[in-house]
Amino acid sequence: MRTINEINEKIKNGQVVVLTAEEVIELVEKKGIKKAAQEVDVVTTGTFGPMCSSGAYFNIGHSKPRIKIGGGTCTLNDVPCYTGFAAVDIYLGATAIPDDDPRNKIYPGEFKYGGAHVIQEIVAGSDVRLEAVAYGTDCYPRKKLETLINIKDLNEAVLFNIRNAYQNYNVAVNLSDKPIYTYLGMLKPNLGNANYCSAGQLSPLLKDPYYKTIGIGTKIFLGGGIGYVAWQGTQHNPSIPRKENGIPKVPGGTLAVIGDLKQMKPEWLVGTSMLGYGVTLVVGIGVPIPVLNEEVIQYAAAKDKDICAPVVDYSSNYPQIIPGSLGEVNYEQLKSGKIIIQGKEVPTGNLSSYSRARLIAEELKSWIKKGDFTLTEPVAKLPQAESGYGFKLLKERSIITKEV
Amino acid sequence: MVSRRIVLHFPHRLVNQPIIYKLVKEYDLQFNILKAFVTPQEEGLMVLELSGKKENFAKGMEYLESCGVRIQPLSQDVVRNEDKCTNCGVCVPICPTEALVVDPQTRKVLFHNKKCIACELCVKICPPRAMEVSF
């Protein structure tokens, strides 16, 4: 029907037709798949949820005299960074927290500040305090460094998230008689609430369930700037059960993404605290889907009603890895504010901001229409549904070697 | 009849006085305590719903003020920092009075101050910590 090159020509000529995933649902309902596929060149998607496997690396520039932070220790606003690289390259993970944070010793811990908050402050242009201790070498003699740093002075500041944009997710509930504090929020006892985390019909990988257009090298909206799909995300699991419409019934594919932090904005990278759980980064991601053929738009037009998620008990089943779900609900039901589980009406809460996901899809649409954002051809496919690629549990083995 | 949710701040010297008792006895007011605590050596704080005849209510308020109790309407107590809120909606099922609800069209979270009883359940569970308490 059309190629990515043809779409890019249209973008340059200002003739491209772009709709958000919500708008394309309406169009397909009104005019049908065939007509919609003829009319629309690109569908934009969006998601804005907590994504723990996020972080950023920085090259801070060499001090005078030189210091080799590699192999030493380094903190940014007291939050420890990973230093196992060369002299002045450091990586800050979203979930890192200061050594003196009480964690869950006072239960449930508040986790007020961590790596995600530092990343948001750095993106906002605030100075942050770097403290590093090194062992000193002949060529890197300095052993201590304390300085303010600012994103504008760093050589590189790159967001590199190894797992984002989960394709579907569990709906978490609590069957026990005590409140529990999870990465899906506080769960009240005895099915007091059901928390979910997906943009549903706006979510990138739910609109391209077989990864036909989204692949390695796909250019995306990332944190308010431009990023790329770097690889499949960790725990990418294409080999899961799917509905007849191809959409995974359980958490499926994931993306690893990368982009220049200097272009990003603090409203699209938000440091958050999950009570009793930890710190995490809410990341804004938008992926354009090129309408290459009718099949692509058919998948992109999946509605909340067509997307189902499993209801999982987080008091026992999830932590103990006991298989079993309490049923399936679709996103239309979840978004109505109430679902029925075991005959009980349970109020729902979303951890992923649908209104922000909508803004991302709209923003990406406006970039493409203005000619600021062209599409890329993926350089390689993500592991596909039939590939046999999946993820396994850890097989624990004894480290005590037997005497011969 | 009037019915209002109010926050009362008791200075240290009043903490051991039977003030609420007088509201009932002298002014025929009904009360429902939503929350109360006393900070040692500092002050007492009580959140309550108070109802009764209009003139009695006014006199009751006058009495409280004459004793040195500071009165605040409850709606001022929990405020949402609009810059921080991402409108995710994880607070919605936690709120016991449906003061936090999702607008079905915009999918934004609406905060109805008047329904808020300042239980503060939303404060710590809010991921970007957008719900702030100002007593």
Side-chain angles (χ1 to χ4, degrees):
Chain A
M1 181 168 269
R2 59 173 78 73
T3 65
I4 285 173
N5 277 339
E6 285 163 2
I7 295 170
N8 283 339
E9 278 307 308
K10 281 186 159 181
I11 294 174
K12 279 174 205 153
N13 300 335
Q15 293 166 328
V16 71
V17 178
V18 191
L19 293 189
T20 67
E22 278 184 321
E23 291 165 338
V24 95
I25 290 169
E26 263 181 60
L27 185 76
V28 166
E29 272 185 349
K30 236 189 270 169
K31 297 190 173 174
I33 299 277
K34 205 166 180 166
K35 202 80 195 294
Q38 282 163 0
E39 286 178 18
V40 181
D41 300 305
V42 184
V43 178
T44 59
T45 63
T47 187
F48 191 70
M51 309 191 195
C52 287
S53 267
S54 299
Y57 66 80
F58 309 103
N59 178 285
I60 63 163
H62 290 280
S63 60
K64 196 173 164 187
R66 291 178 192 271
I67 185 167
K68 179 184 182 298
I69 298 173
T73 60
C74 180
T75 59
L76 291 174
N77 286 356
D78 296 322
V79 179
C81 300
Y82 180 73
T83 62
F85 298 119
V88 291
D89 287 338
I90 54 173
Y91 184 90
L92 175 63
T95 69
I97 46 177
D99 288 339
D100 60 359
D101 186 286
R103 292 162 163 83
N104 258 342
K105 275 180 189 150
I106 303 156
Y107 178 82
E110 290 202 51
F111 302 99
K112 283 184 180 168
Y113 194 79
H117 299 94
V118 179
I119 290 171
Q120 186 179 14
E121 283 178 31
I122 288 174
V123 173
S126 308
D127 285 340
V128 299
R129 182 170 35 84
L130 178 144
E131 290 176 58
V133 177
Y135 51 79
T137 72
D138 291 338
C139 47
Y140 289 87
R142 191 152 169 186
K143 290 184 176 169
K144 218 171 167 206
L145 174 64
E146 289 180 13
T147 178
L148 291 176
I149 61 165
N150 191 289
I151 191 166
K152 65 180 196 297
D153 306 319
L154 300 174
N155 291 317
E156 282 81 23
V158 179
L159 189 75
F160 189 9
N161 304 344
I162 61 173
R163 179 171 74 249
N164 279 180
Y166 235 121
Q167 186 181 31
N168 215 345
Y169 213 79
N170 295 338
V171 180
V173 295
N174 176 8
L175 290 179
S176 80
D177 57 5
K178 292 186 192 73
I180 58 170
Y181 300 89
T182 75
Y183 62 87
L184 284 164
M186 181 215 192
L187 300 172
K188 296 197 279 186
N190 306 311
L191 291 170
N193 58 322
N195 285 0
Y196 63 107
C197 186
S198 173
Q201 62 186 11
L202 271 172
S203 183
L205 288 177
L206 289 172
K207 314 280 22 208
D208 181 12
Y210 287 110
Y211 332 110
K212 288 186 186 271
T213 67
I214 303 170
I216 294 164
T218 297
K219 187 156 92 175
I220 62 171
F221 171 109
L222 178 59
I226 286 173
Y228 294 87
V229 175
W231 201 251
Q232 66 266 29
T234 54
Q235 296 182 19
H236 177 69
N237 197 3
S239 319
I240 26 72
R242 290 165 187 268
K243 287 185 69 177
E244 58 280 15
N245 60 11
I247 296 172
K249 292 179 177 181
V250 293
T254 66
L255 300 176
V257 299
I258 191 162
D260 182 6
L261 200 64
K262 292 191 180 190
Q263 299 170 24
M264 297 186 196
K265 297 188 174 66
E267 57 266 40
W268 300 115
L269 289 175
V270 177
T272 55
S273 309
M274 300 305 299
L275 185 64
Y277 183 75
V279 170
T280 188
L281 187 67
V282 175
V283 183
I285 292 182
V287 181
I289 297 178
V291 182
L292 305 175
N293 51 51
E294 287 176 12
E295 196 190 12
V296 169
I297 207 161
Q298 185 175 346
Y299 286 129
K303 293 181 281 237
D304 279 333
K305 204 167 64 181
D306 307 325
I307 308 167
C308 288
V311 181
V312 177
D313 166 48
Y314 271 62
S315 69
S316 164
N317 285 63
Y318 183 85
Q320 303 304 329
I321 313 206
I322 302 164
S325 108
L326 299 165
E328 232 174 44
V329 289
N330 67 47
Y331 281 91
E332 190 181 84
Q333 293 167 323
L334 287 165
K335 275 163 79 177
S336 78
K338 275 165 191 148
I339 56 171
I340 306 284
I341 309 166
Q342 296 184 338
K344 188 182 174 186
E345 195 179 77
V346 182
T348 58
N350 197 354
L351 216 61
S352 175
S353 172
Y354 191 84
S355 62
R356 287 278 187 106
R358 191 181 265 166
L359 284 179
I360 290 170
E362 278 163 10
E363 178 89 358
L364 181 56
K365 173 181 160 178
S366 80
W367 289 359
I368 297 170
K369 285 178 86 171
K370 270 190 273 174
D372 297 342
F373 187 104
T374 52
L375 308 194
T376 55
E377 194 91 52
V379 292
K381 282 190 178 304
L382 298 170
Q384 301 283 297
E386 324 74 41
S387 64
Y389 189 96
F391 96 109
K392 332 177 240 316
L393 294 173
L394 174 69
K395 212 162 141 189
E396 287 181 60
R397 291 182 293 138
S398 168
I399 53 170
I400 302 161
T401 42
K402 282 182 190 152
E403 280 177 48
V404 186
Chain B
M1 279 287 281
V2 277
S3 181
R4 268 186 221 137
R5 288 169 172 160
I6 50 173
V7 183
L8 304 180
H9 298 263
F10 296 81
H12 176 54
R13 67 186 163 80
L14 290 180
V15 165
N16 52 8
Q17 302 286 313
I19 296 209
I20 302 300
Y21 165 80
K22 288 222 169 154
L23 286 180
V24 181
K25 186 92 175 158
E26 312 277 325
Y27 304 98
D28 193 24
L29 295 176
Q30 287 181 27
F31 67 94
N32 178 21
I33 298 177
L34 303 169
K35 186 162 54 186
F37 52 86
V38 179
T39 322
Q41 305 298 317
E42 285 171 31
E43 64 157 28
L45 181 143
M46 186 179 280
V47 182
L48 75 171
E49 186 165 8
L50 206 57
S51 46
K53 281 193 187 142
K54 208 174 169 186
E55 61 268 26
N56 288 349
F57 192 94
K59 280 182 196 157
M61 291 297 108
E62 254 172 53
Y63 161 71
L64 287 175
E65 276 172 348
S66 71
C67 300
V69 175
R70 190 157 59 83
I71 308 164
Q72 229 185 324
L74 181 61
S75 55
Q76 290 176 3
D77 294 332
V78 175
V79 287
R80 179 163 68 173
N81 183 329
E82 300 294 337
D83 292 338
K84 283 188 177 175
C85 174
T86 65
N87 285 283
C88 68
V90 79
C91 54
V92 172
I94 298 297
C95 178
T97 58
E98 294 182 6
L100 290 156
V101 290
V102 179
D103 180 303
Q105 254 66 55
T106 64
R107 304 303 304 174
K108 287 190 172 173
V109 178
L110 308 174
F111 177 44
H112 300 299
N113 288 46
K114 282 186 182 157
K115 287 188 176 177
C116 173
I117 55 163
C119 69
E120 298 178 30
L121 280 175
C122 57
V123 174
K124 284 182 180 174
I125 63 108
C126 171
R129 299 288 157 91
M131 304 305 289
E132 295 168 357
V133 188
S134 61
F135 279 122

